[in-house]
Amino acid sequence: GDVINEADNCSTGLNATFTDVITNGPCEGSKVITRTWHLVDNCGNAAANQIQTITVSDNTPPTFTRPANIVIFTSSTCTYDASVAATGDVINEADNCSTGLNATFTDVITNGPCEGSKVITRTWHLVDNCGNAAADQVQTITVSDDTAPTFTRPANTTIFTSTTCTFDASVAATGDVSDEADNCSTGLNATFTDVTVAGPCQGSQVITRTWHLIDNCGNAAANQIQTITVSDNLAPVILPGGSINACYETVAQAFAAAIAATSATDNCSAVTKTADIFQPLIPGCDSIIRVYVTDACGNVSSKDYNTMIGCQVVRLKVFLEGPYYADGDTMSTRLNYLHVLPGQTPISGVLNSTPAGQPYNTAPWNYNMNTGTSYGDTPLIPYPADVVDWVLVTVRKDSYTGIEIWKCAGWVHNNGVVTFPDNCPGPAINTSDMYYIMVEHRNHLAIMSPSFVDINCNGAVLSWDFTTSNSYAPPFRYGQKHVVLGANGRWAMYEGNGEQANSRAAISSPDRSLWRSMQNYLGYAKGDFNMNAAVGSEDESFWKPNQNITTGIIWQ
């Protein structure tokens, strides 16, 4: 502003002048100007000075740029760092006058959407030295929990089906998660989903249980898998009752009867039944048949039955040297395999056939009781596959030369056991008497037990095993051939006695003559000493080391 109303009594055209004194105001950029106005007329008369005060003030607010909104995360202990160093500071602080300005802030903290999370509303302020304030600026700082929880799944486990084939796969039975932990969330409980597939057997299952754990902020732990195996460990239940006969001719018949007599149930599956025998046929009498009842998961129950197997009164084992093989401790069934036994139809047209019937109905045996004519190939009854040949068995009473009280033609099987397909009525046994068993074969030297045989089953059975020791061999005579030496040695009837009408008691030249007359014969022949269905040079080789072997048996 300028002076106004300048006036004087005489002088005209007067203009006031001024001088200024400037001092700093109360804040940076402000001033106080003390302006002294002077007016003098043309005659030198001065008006009294007048002072005008001019205050220079700063009313321009400063400016700044707040830091950007930001998300920060909680630590493993659910703490967080919201310092300026972590969340950002103001930049571009500026003012027209003030320097060295620093913005400040105030925080308002509220809980976020989940446990451990926060929302910090940070209001930034900037005021210059003259009190001019910039418009506040708000920065949003979101404190989030991105740490997944942890847990320990229960161990893999096996549970078992009940009697009704149900099972309890609840957490109480299979185990629950332990050590559930999180940096911020509390009260967490893991959940699970199950995938169930059929196990290896009926009633069994495999449950793949996948455990999940999510904290209150949606952070998920890595899934953990527990395998629950549902197994059936309950054995079948064998029902009461069931019995079998006191006696069976064959093991197969006893097995079939025992299996049929056994009824059982199972909690989950159908059952299979098998049988086994727990006592040797020779020299035993009473046999234990054990039936095994097995379910689909392999659980087994068993039941025992007492019976007699091979109810023939006379029981024995014998090996024939000709077909015997030490490797395997068995005899060849080649005659049977080639179908050249009596009554069979040879499998090759080159082989000769033999009429049905046991071969001891001619001299020197002249045995015509159980003829054996029912056995052979269709339409006859087939031979069992393990039959080696026919033998003739005699029981003598009281002495080596005593009366023959029983005779029967039977089969010798590849394991040495003799059975009688046409079961001859057994001899009446008196336990105070002594009995001897004699065995004859069409081209092997006859043998007899070296002493009175075993009487088993309370006097019901006569038995002897010729395979484990020598037979009757008085001085200068022979019993059997020691075909396998050692602790588990084996004995067998001497081969080579093919001509018995005249040389029944010895392997001698008539046997070689018989062999010679039958050379190249193919089929069932007395000259076939090794019993391979062919009379050849090897049979003479087998006869030769046994020539002049004589038995001590005396025939009536």
Side-chain angles (χ1 to χ4, degrees), residues 83-102:
S83 67
V84 169
T87 61
D89 201 356
V90 163
I91 59 173
N92 303 327
E93 293 149 310
D95 189 66
N96 59 334
C97 295
S98 298
T99 59
L101 297 182
N102 283 303

Side-chain angles (χ1 to χ4, degrees), residues 156-180:
N156 295 338
T157 189
T158 299
I159 59 176
F160 300 98
T161 54
S162 68
T163 55
T164 57
C165 205
T166 59
F167 57 88
D168 177 11
S170 67
V171 169
T174 61
D176 200 355
V177 161
S178 61
D179 304 326
E180 293 149 307

Side-chain angles (χ1 to χ4, degrees), residues 281-293:
L281 296 182
I282 293 178
C285 180
D286 292 334
S287 297
I288 299 173
I289 303 296
R290 179 166 294 171
V291 175
Y292 296 98
V293 181

Side-chain angles (χ1 to χ4, degrees), residues 397-398 428-435 452 455 459 462:
K397 179 181 177 182
D398 294 333
I429 299 173
N430 186 336
T431 56
S432 63
D433 290 334
M434 296 181 293
Y435 300 92
F452 51 88
I455 302 178
L462 299 177

Side-chain angles (χ1 to χ4, degrees), residues 73-74 144-148 183 215 217 219:
F73 299 99
T74 55
S144 181
D145 171 20
D146 68 343
T147 301
N183 60 331
D215 68 14
C217 291
N219 299 302

Side-chain angles (χ1 to χ4, degrees), residues 192-454:
F192 62 85
T193 54
D194 285 347
V195 175
T196 303
V197 298
C201 58
Q202 191 174 355
S204 67
Q205 312 279 336
V206 177
I207 302 172
T208 302
R209 177 163 289 176
T210 304
W211 287 94
H212 322 281
L213 185 62
I214 302 175
D215 68 14
N216 295 330
C217 291
N219 299 302
N223 289 337
Q224 296 184 35
I225 294 176
Q226 176 193 15
T227 300
I228 301 168
T229 302
V230 182
S231 180
D232 172 20
N233 69 339
L234 294 180
V237 176
I238 296 178
L239 303 178
S243 61
I244 64 175
N245 295 337
C247 181
Y248 292 92
E249 289 297 326
T250 67
V251 173
Q253 291 172 345
F255 282 0
I259 288 172
T262 304
S263 298
T265 61
D266 188 68
N267 60 330
C268 292
S269 65
V271 298
T272 58
K273 293 181 286 187
T274 57
D276 200 356
I277 191 166
F278 280 82
Q279 185 164 329
L281 296 182
I282 293 178
C285 180
D286 292 334
S287 297
I288 299 173
I289 303 296
R290 179 166 294 171
V291 175
Y292 296 98
V293 181
T294 307
D295 67 14
C297 290
N299 300 302
V300 181
S301 296
S302 65
K303 182 176 181 178
D304 290 347
Y305 298 90
N306 290 324
T307 188
M308 291 176 62
I309 304 296
C311 299
Q312 57 195 38
V313 173
V314 179
R315 304 184 186 184
L316 65 148
K317 283 185 70 175
V318 65
F319 283 141
L320 304 174
E321 180 191 4
Y324 179 75
Y325 288 101
D327 185 10
D329 193 31
T330 187
M331 286 185 289
S332 168
T333 58
R334 187 165 179 79
L335 297 180
N336 196 352
Y337 174 77
L338 295 176
H339 285 236
V340 296
L341 291 176
Q344 291 182 321
T345 302
I347 61 175
S348 170
V350 177
L351 300 174
N352 296 286
S353 62
T354 300
Q358 51 83 11
Y360 301 103
N361 57 355
T362 60
W365 309 283
N366 298 315
Y367 173 73
N368 294 298
M369 294 295 291
N370 60 323
T371 62
T373 53
S374 300
Y375 300 95
D377 288 333
T378 305
L380 302 177
I381 301 170
Y383 285 90
D386 64 347
V387 168
V388 177
D389 199 2
W390 290 88
V391 292
L392 185 62
V393 179
T394 302
V395 175
R396 290 183 171 186
K397 179 181 177 182
D398 294 333
S399 72
Y400 294 120
T401 59
I403 300 173
E404 295 179 351
I405 65 168
W406 185 86
K407 190 183 293 286
C408 193
W411 292 330
V412 60
H413 299 260
N414 61 354
N415 63 354
V417 173
V418 174
T419 62
F420 302 98
D422 295 334
N423 199 16
C424 307
I429 299 173
N430 186 336
T431 56
S432 63
D433 290 334
M434 296 181 293
Y435 300 92
Y436 302 84
I437 294 176
M438 182 173 67
V439 183
E440 297 178 84
H441 182 260
R442 59 193 177 88
N443 60 16
H444 283 64
L445 193 66
I447 59 173
M448 188 168 62
S449 56
S451 60
F452 51 88
V453 298
D454 300 322

Side-chain angles (χ1 to χ4, degrees), residues 481 495-496 507 512 529 537-549:
K481 194 170 190 175
E495 64 180 313
I507 299 173
R512 184 174 183 272
F529 301 142
S537 59
E538 70 276 10
D539 293 302
E540 182 187 26
S541 299
F542 295 133
W543 165 84
K544 188 169 295 185
N546 291 344
Q547 64 176 318
N548 299 323
I549 297 294

